[in-house]
Amino acid sequence: MKTVEEIKAAIEAAVPGAGVTVVLNPSPSAQHSLRLEPAHALAVAAFLRDDPELAFDYLSNVTGVDWLDKEIAEKVKVTRQVTKTVDGPEGTKLEQVVDEIVEETRKHVEPGSLEAVYHLYSVALRHGPLVLRMRTVNRTDKVELPSLTPVWRAAELQEREVFDLYGIVFTGHPDLRRILMWDEFKDYPMRKDYVEPDDYEYEPTAHDAVLKRAQEHRSREQGSRD
Amino acid sequence: MSVAETRTERSAGWNRPPAVEPEGEGELLEVAMGPHHPSTHGVFRMDVSLDGERVVRLKPVFGYLHRNHEKIAEGVAYLASMPYTDRLDYFCSLTNNWAYALAVEKLAGQEVPARAEYIRVILAELTRIQNHASTIGFLLQEMGASGTPLMYAFREREKILDLFESLTGSRMMCNYMRFGGCRVDLSSAWIEATKKVVAGLPAFVDEFEALLTGNEILMARCQGVGVLKPDLAVNAGISGPMLRASGVNYDLRKVDHYGIYDRFQFRVPLGDHGDIYDRYMVRVLEMRESIGILNQALQDIPLGPIMDAKAKLRGFRPKPGEAYGRIEAPKGELGFYLISDGGPNPYRYRVRPPSLINLTVLEDMCLGHNVADVVLIFGSVDIVLGEVDR
Amino acid sequence: MVDNELKIELGKQGILVTTIEELYNWGRRSSVWPMQFGLACCAIEMIATTMARYDLARFGAEVFRPSPRQADLMIVSGTVTKKMAPQVVRLYNQMAEPKYVIAMGACAISGGPFKQGYNVLKGIDRYIPVDVHIPGCPPRPEALIQAFMTLQKKIDGQPLTGEGRPRFLDADAQCEFPVPEQGAHDLEPPSNQGVWPVEIQGVGSRERRDIDGRQVSTDH
Ligand code: SF4
């Protein structure tokens, strides 16, 4: 199989302005991936499927990943003007403005995103995997990604599952409904910040985590009764 | 059909199920088959619209056994998910173990000693035989042959489960493989017992086939029913015996060369028509090939360690990165996708369930057939709900 | 009432002495038909129990009925998810009295290994009364047979009149149980207080009901 860099070059030759980036995978598996621009994803996917040298006709796996908002603390050196008292001539004190370099920690929040990951193989040429990724703009309101179901039917149920559990809205999906949870369900349970319903009432258990939740439940219930 | 023709059909949305027009006038009959239905192997629902006896629309409904395997696995250490994988496809716990161990071994770059690889092959092929036998038994049960084929299958299955139990301590939930090897070594007595069971298996398959393969009712009900075309099968990500029954030669044991399957001689049975009968036949032939692999593996199994000496069981923290590992499970391509952030738990843990994805084309296969055939077509897909919904 | 030893002695002579109650319960316990209803992994062990090796037919229970109307026993064999729980309660309501429930496996009892799941019901006895619990993951077929025999003993011991009589002979007993609704975040209500009287430590005791829905003493 071609390397990811070669595939990237092939894509860019075929789909102008596709904006593909290579995401390296440092683990021993060395399954590197390509990040697609959502706007061109469908064209790139169709190219990957139909190109005779690549022929990725088999979409194996579709999944979502939740990347939380990250608070990044950075140490930056800033120059500030500080007023200093210096000893002037003849014992007087003088106020003087000097430049000083101080270190400051700045925090900024890197917005998280939801990511859809696709694993492609080729049945015709028996190679793979090629990993494709797409990211949403954020985790709250701009969560649309193009659906690849028109290219690979295999994505149909799996994209529905990602929609159900992560809340990525796949535009162009023929039948985007909840698949695993019931229709009235409101949350997206696989997101990292999902809070489970509190139903650990009475738990004779050996699991510490469960026991802790049950105790929390009890103390809450007690509080509400007092 | 030429490629150009397929292209135009594709652009016309060929990969949607074709619409079947009702013949008569008036209302369609809406039937919800499931979640409690004797034919659904558990808790699965199909919302079927019927025009008389003919199916004109079929929507599968999932999730009645959604047990949050992935969410739980993201909260516990890598090894702690191993027993949960047993419960995915509860007919084949050992192949599930293998798929997960393979993914983690890819993620952490671990080697597996030769003896452990042999043990894995032996256990996986035993699993495949009992799974295919039970699947055919259930398929026949749904066809109305209540009892006999299933009894035969379970008689053989019990023998294999006894082997599993004496090795791993549990009949169904074996929890046997570890990252970089296996949990306990085989004794020579176990190998002898297995050889005995394997020696009896060809007679079982012969008996099974004598009962079924030439059976007129089976042929009448299965041939030409639920046909799946190879191009749609590939496009829809179908895997396992279902894909091969449609004539696509894609067996991960040959394609991915995982484990030590390269050392064994075996053939990949393929179907011609992609109907229920071919799926049945492919499974029977696969059982025979598995018996062949078992004979070779039991013959050549070497001595040696069963664990990678460098493998760490406690404090196992793979370096950041990700890996996708897949094997040819009895039901199809079972994959595990793991993302590590360097911690003791996986950041993302995903199971690629063959059972779920094989159901993508259920509607395509059922449209236009009678409602009684839906039960058969569904049975021939071979699903387990624990894996469909996870 | 004939005394037991005399009865055995007469039996040896070929004379059968019995009571209506014994005869009636003997008939009931010897043909408990389970519902053909599998939920998860435990269901496979349930099927294995009915197959040739373990042969549940010896206990008069080989006829698995697909319809709840014809079944006497519901074996909750596997994980009950929140999506499935309303259906399980509905099926139970549709069964005709006398009806019994075996909770098979850790999941049916308490959620088992999947207890921490957001979609897993932590025990079916939050919504319907359970007669026999079998621990195990999955319980072996022998354990299911043992549960079956326990249930038969229970049926045998039920008097036809007075306290402790089965529900279908008691006009006041509750036979139908409310079906939970699927809400936006969880099942509503999360449990049926009538059958799942949870004791919360430190909070005053609450009304309790026994398995047949009758109120029992409230102090502990
Ligand atoms: S108790 Fe164990 S075997 Fe039974 S359904 Fe639950 S997980 Fe499966």
Side-chain angles (χ1 to χ4, degrees), chain B residues 298-311:
Chain B
L298 287 166
Q299 201 64 50
D300 324 329
I301 180 165
L303 288 174
I306 54 160
M307 265 313 266
D308 181 7
K310 287 186 283 231

Side-chain angles (χ1 to χ4, degrees), chain B residues 67 87 173, chain C residues 40-42 78-79 105-107 113-114 136-139:
Chain B
R67 300 192 277 196
R87 288 156 180 85
M173 307 303 173
Chain C
C41 352
C42 285
T79 320
C107 285
F114 295 96
C137 180

Side-chain angles (χ1 to χ4, degrees), chain A residues 149-167:
Chain A
T149 309
V151 182
W152 292 287
R153 180 85 185 279
E156 182 178 342
L157 296 179
Q158 304 190 67
E159 280 180 350
R160 261 179 83 185
E161 188 186 317
V162 175
F163 164 72
D164 186 357
L165 302 181
Y166 284 93

Side-chain angles (χ1 to χ4, degrees), chain A residues 77-213:
Chain A
K77 292 221 165 87
V78 277
T79 331
R80 265 195 308 199
Q81 293 189 327
V82 271
T83 330
K84 274 194 181 165
T85 341
V86 283
D87 292 338
E90 295 148 27
T92 54
K93 301 267 179 190
L94 273 184
E95 297 240 316
Q96 202 180 8
V97 177
V98 285
D99 279 356
E100 199 189 45
I101 295 173
V102 282
E103 258 196 8
E104 210 175 58
T105 359
R106 281 199 190 157
K107 284 190 182 155
H108 68 104
V109 178
E110 190 169 280
S113 61
L114 301 168
E115 190 171 35
V117 184
Y118 296 78
H119 285 83
L120 302 177
Y121 286 86
S122 168
V123 169
L125 305 180
R126 299 198 165 196
H127 60 220
L130 174 69
V131 191
L132 303 181
R133 330 176 78 92
M134 284 191 282
R135 281 199 167 182
T136 60
V137 181
N138 58 23
R139 301 175 65 251
T140 46
D141 49 352
K142 293 198 180 118
V143 290
E144 282 93 29
L145 286 180
S147 163
L148 299 189
T149 309
V151 182
W152 292 287
R153 180 85 185 279
E156 182 178 342
L157 296 179
Q158 304 190 67
E159 280 180 350
R160 261 179 83 185
E161 188 186 317
V162 175
F163 164 72
D164 186 357
L165 302 181
Y166 284 93
I168 300 179
V169 178
F170 289 96
T171 50
H173 189 286
D175 185 20
L176 199 64
R177 288 175 294 137
R178 282 198 177 263
I179 180 170
L180 295 178
M181 303 304 285
W182 53 90
D183 289 334
E184 296 83 27
F185 197 71
K186 287 275 160 355
D187 307 328
Y188 299 112
M190 279 301 285
R191 290 198 184 178
K192 293 276 174 189
D193 52 2
Y194 169 71
V195 186
E196 285 173 42
D198 170 28
D199 56 358
Y200 287 78
E201 290 152 357
Y202 162 66
E203 308 292 338
T205 175
H207 294 283
D208 288 348
V210 176
L211 197 64
K212 214 176 102 219
R213 289 214 190 109

Side-chain angles (χ1 to χ4, degrees), chain C residues 36-50:
Chain C
Q36 185 178 350
F37 171 61
L39 285 171
C41 352
C42 285
I44 308 300
E45 284 298 61
M46 182 174 81
I47 295 169
T49 316
T50 64

Side-chain angles (χ1 to χ4, degrees), chain B residues 21 49 61 79 106 146 154 176 179 181 214 247 251 274 278 283 323 361:
Chain B
E21 288 304 318
S49 307
V61 181
L79 190 55
K106 278 195 176 177
S146 57
F154 266 66
Y176 178 68
F179 315 136
D251 185 324
D278 277 8
R283 291 204 173 97
V361 289

Side-chain angles (χ1 to χ4, degrees), chain B residues 35-36 38 42-43 62-68 84 87 90-91 150-151 154 157-158 162 165 171-173, chain C residues 36 38-39 41 44-45 51-54 66 79 81 83-84 87 91 113-114 117-120 137-138 140:
Chain B
H36 161 241
V43 282
F62 304 91
Y64 289 102
L65 195 54
H66 178 45
R67 300 192 277 196
N68 330 120
Y84 285 98
R87 288 156 180 85
Y90 29 78
F91 267 101
L150 192 59
M151 289 264 187
F154 266 66
R157 180 170 182 263
E158 289 289 342
D162 277 352
E165 188 178 11
R171 282 157 55 85
M172 283 167 66
M173 307 303 173
Chain C
Q36 185 178 350
L39 285 171
C41 352
I44 308 300
E45 284 298 61
M51 289 294 145
R53 188 184 204 178
Y54 297 98
T79 320
T81 60
K83 189 160 176 176
M84 191 61 195
Q87 272 70 280
L91 283 170
F114 295 96
Y118 49 85
N119 191 26
V120 175
C137 180
R140 293 183 55 92

